[in-house]
Amino acid sequence: MKITDHLKNATNTLFSFEILPPLKGQSLKELLEGIEPLMEFKPPFVDVTYHREEFIYKKHPNGLLEKVSTKKRPGTVGICAAIMSRFQVDAVPHILCGGFSKEETENALIDLNFIGVENVLALRGDAPKSEGRFTPESNGHGYASELVEQIVRMNHGHYLHEETENSFHTDFCVGVSGYPEKHFEAPSMKFDLKYLKEKIDKGAEYIVTQMFFDNQKFFDYVQRVREAGIDVPIIPGIKPITTLGQITMLPRTFFLDFPDDLMDELEKCKTNSDVKNVGIEWAIQQSKELIVAGVPSLHFYTMSKAEATYKIAKEIF
């Protein structure tokens, strides 16, 4: 079922979450068993991230460096198939601009269609860690709006190089990302919303937000999105803080702020266990307030570790 239909048919706020593929060489069995407890809360869909190739430099005995491509977390398509088969829920793979040509994108979408995937989340993706800025692939997309456009064209039976008469029409529901504290590359929120609207105008049907820790920033964001003429569902993204390292890593990596009240509590923490307790309680209160506000779903960023999300969901669903 399409995400928009899940949201339309729901009588209460839904529960959903995002997982990472296992590192190369690790088993899928551990991942599936790890998220199985979350099925207690009847998620209608689960997002599966995609990780573009990265590069490492291998030093040879003669001193020369060889640039070697590596993908640390392959398997998104296979994981989607496994999740749908084992749990009978919809899988939502992430589709990236970065690392893909248009032809590779088309082929990936064909594969996803063949295994029964009906929903995708279209993202530009980040630059490789070895590069300072995002650069599209040769014959690839530079913006998520272009990726949305390609997916929607396939929904109308238009492929890149083949005759389009009598071509099979895919039927993907396309989601896109939103940033309550604005995308870090956008010079202003108004500028950011301009490009969000472009993605919607090209056919995206729902928005999932970046994580945030201040609900007021989400509420203000929703108001500005609506004022910009965007009326699709907006799903808030929630991430419980679980380690001492995340106190500095999350704001630095995702360009977001912690509220002062949250930081006051985190500063008292001496261990990861202390942080996890604070993070879970904060996310519970966040979630309760968002449910009262009538959000269509709560979408949890689990990093494939279900324990904290399970404790939160147990309190609110």
Side-chain angles (χ1 to χ4, degrees), residues 81-221:
I83 286 173
M84 292 189 298
S85 174
R86 177 161 176 165
F87 300 121
Q88 287 75 55
V89 301
D90 283 308
V92 185
H94 292 190
I95 302 294
L96 306 183
C97 297
F100 284 91
S101 68
K102 295 173 187 177
E103 288 80 5
E104 289 168 330
T105 295
E106 182 173 271
N107 292 338
L109 290 166
I110 290 171
D111 285 344
L112 291 168
N113 179 259
F114 284 168
I115 66 171
V117 167
E118 297 184 71
N119 306 279
V120 294
L121 192 70
L123 307 168
R124 190 198 71 176
D126 298 324
K129 294 183 179 67
S130 58
E131 300 177 13
R133 54 179 298 193
F134 177 85
T135 303
E137 294 297 302
S138 176
N139 195 33
H141 297 303
Y143 300 97
S145 59
E146 298 171 346
L147 180 55
V148 171
E149 188 172 26
Q150 180 178 3
I151 299 167
V152 171
R153 282 181 56 79
M154 288 182 64
N155 284 348
H156 290 93
H158 299 300
Y159 293 75
L160 291 173
H161 305 304
E162 306 298 328
E163 294 293 334
T164 56
E165 186 176 355
N166 298 321
S167 291
F168 177 77
H169 292 216
T170 57
D171 192 24
F172 293 110
C173 175
V174 186
V176 292
S177 59
Y179 298 86
E181 299 179 62
K182 91 171 179 59
H183 191 278
F184 74 98
E185 293 179 3
S188 70
M189 180 61 80
K190 181 179 179 180
F191 189 86
D192 198 19
L193 293 177
K194 172 185 173 183
Y195 285 96
L196 177 62
K197 189 170 190 307
E198 184 176 350
K199 291 187 282 190
I200 303 303
D201 289 345
K202 288 189 174 183
E205 299 177 71
Y206 70 97
I207 299 164
V208 181
T209 77
Q210 175 64 278
M211 68 182 74
F212 58 90
F213 295 88
D214 184 342
N215 281 355
Q216 190 57 52
K217 289 187 177 181
F218 173 77
F219 297 141
D220 291 345
Y221 178 73

Side-chain angles (χ1 to χ4, degrees), residues 14 17 27 29 31 45 52 57 64 88 92-93 102 145-146 182 186 190 197 200-201 213 236-237 242 258-259 278 314:
L14 299 175
F17 60 93
S27 168
K29 182 174 180 287
L31 170 64
F45 60 93
R52 66 174 295 170
Y57 289 89
L64 294 178
Q88 287 75 55
V92 185
K102 295 173 187 177
S145 59
E146 298 171 346
K182 91 171 179 59
K190 181 179 179 180
K197 189 170 190 307
I200 303 303
D201 289 345
F213 295 88
T242 57
F258 288 156
V278 169
K314 194 73 174 174

Side-chain angles (χ1 to χ4, degrees), residues 279-290:
I280 288 172
E281 182 58 34
W282 186 270
I284 288 170
Q285 298 310 315
Q286 261 195 287
S287 299
K288 288 180 176 179
E289 185 177 28
L290 290 166

